[in-house]
Amino acid sequence: NEVDLSFKVAGILSSVNVKLGDKVEKGQLLAAIEPSDYTIQSKQAVAQKEGAIANKQSAEANAKAAESQLINAKATYDRVSKLYENNSLSLSEYQQAKAGLDAAQAQYDAAMSQVRAANSQVSTSDQQLQAANNQVNYTRLVSPINGVVTQVLKEANELVNAGSIIATVSSFASPEVQVGVPETVIGKLKNGQAAEIRLASLPNQTFKAVISEISFATGKSTTYPVILKIVNPTQEIIPGMAAQVKFESS
């Protein structure tokens, strides 16, 4: 399996830490983009979140004060209302208490609206900070698998775009061999058929393989491509090695 690796952000390559043929481990740093611009954005997002938290705390303090005023205004209104019902207070005094309650209620409602807005601002700033931190993390390109580097397309100090392939890593897990088979042989082969592989770079070893794919279209070639999967690979096998294939009788 081959994996083409690219950055999710654009920038100047500060380093490319691998070359063709290098063996790499999962999580190993392969290349990096200069992170300073993204780090600045992250710091700005931190400041915005801190400001949003301060606004929230202020809004909550105002709401608490407004709630206290509302409780007092409600108590005053209840007391005055009973006295008014007993004809112990004038209409104007009753109306004044009612107006005080209405004003306290409106102030409390406004304060709670500010709390909800502040909470929303904190949530938004938190998401913005997470996105900014992700951008910083995206300046590091790591290998998702154990394998070997089969191509490196960029060099340090180059400007790269998001999505541009930097390198390709091939897994050790299931190496495959592709061989061109002439028309006199292709009809005798079938999927799952066993074969023996010899690699020029490993002359003292043989490897077992099975046919995993047979193409009956030649294109411009005079042979038919057949793909075999090596069933007993070792980490000595590197993509690009020349191979000799011997098919076993079906």
Side-chain angles (χ1 to χ4, degrees):
N1 297 327
E2 285 193 338
V3 182
D4 292 329
L5 302 177
S6 61
F7 288 99
K8 293 184 179 181
V9 295
I12 301 294
L13 276 175
S14 59
S15 64
V16 177
N17 304 324
V18 292
K19 60 183 182 298
L20 184 66
D22 281 356
K23 293 181 180 179
V24 296
E25 297 180 353
K26 182 177 179 179
Q28 181 175 334
L29 181 65
L30 306 183
I33 282 177
E34 171 53 48
S36 56
D37 289 344
Y38 299 105
T39 301
I40 291 172
Q41 293 174 10
S42 178
K43 290 180 179 179
Q44 290 173 340
V46 169
Q48 289 174 353
K49 181 176 179 179
E50 290 174 347
I53 291 174
N55 288 338
K56 176 185 176 182
Q57 292 171 341
S58 177
E60 288 174 340
N62 290 337
K64 188 173 182 180
E67 182 181 23
S68 178
Q69 291 176 355
L70 177 60
I71 292 172
N72 292 335
K74 181 67 167 59
T76 299
Y77 172 77
D78 289 342
R79 177 177 56 82
V80 169
S81 179
K82 290 179 181 180
L83 292 173
Y84 177 70
E85 290 174 358
N86 294 327
N87 295 318
S88 298
L89 284 178
S90 66
L91 176 60
S92 63
E93 289 175 311
Y94 169 78
Q95 291 175 334
Q96 184 179 2
K98 181 65 168 62
L101 175 61
D102 291 343
Q105 183 67 59
Q107 186 175 2
Y108 175 75
D109 291 343
M112 290 306 299
S113 178
Q114 291 177 348
V115 168
R116 289 191 293 271
N119 284 332
S120 177
Q121 185 181 19
V122 169
S123 178
T124 299
S125 65
D126 190 53
Q127 293 172 359
Q128 291 173 340
L129 176 58
Q130 183 62 54
N133 287 338
N134 286 342
Q135 296 290 91
V136 175
N137 293 333
Y138 292 156
T139 63
R140 294 169 53 84
L141 186 65
V142 300
S143 177
I145 58 174
N146 295 328
V148 61
V149 178
T150 56
Q151 69 172 349
V152 179
L153 301 179
K154 302 293 182 180
E155 297 180 355
N157 299 318
E158 284 191 53
L159 174 64
V160 296
N161 295 320
S164 297
I165 297 175
I166 306 301
T168 301
V169 175
S170 179
S171 170
F172 293 124
S174 301
E176 295 178 333
V177 173
Q178 180 172 317
V179 62
V181 176
E183 61 182 13
T184 55
V185 177
I186 193 67
K188 302 176 183 179
L189 303 180
K190 62 182 181 181
N191 283 332
Q193 185 172 337
E196 182 181 273
I197 305 291
R198 288 183 177 274
L199 302 173
S201 301
L202 304 171
N204 298 323
Q205 300 183 53
T206 59
F207 301 92
K208 296 179 180 180
V210 294
I211 296 175
S212 60
E213 184 178 339
I214 300 174
S215 175
F216 293 100
T218 61
K220 296 181 180 180
S221 174
T222 58
T223 59
Y224 297 82
V226 174
I227 296 177
L228 302 97
K229 183 172 292 186
I230 298 177
V231 298
N232 61 332
T234 68
Q235 291 193 359
E236 296 174 290
I237 299 176
I238 297 176
M241 286 183 168
Q244 183 180 26
V245 179
K246 179 180 179 182
F247 295 103
E248 296 183 6
S249 300
S250 59

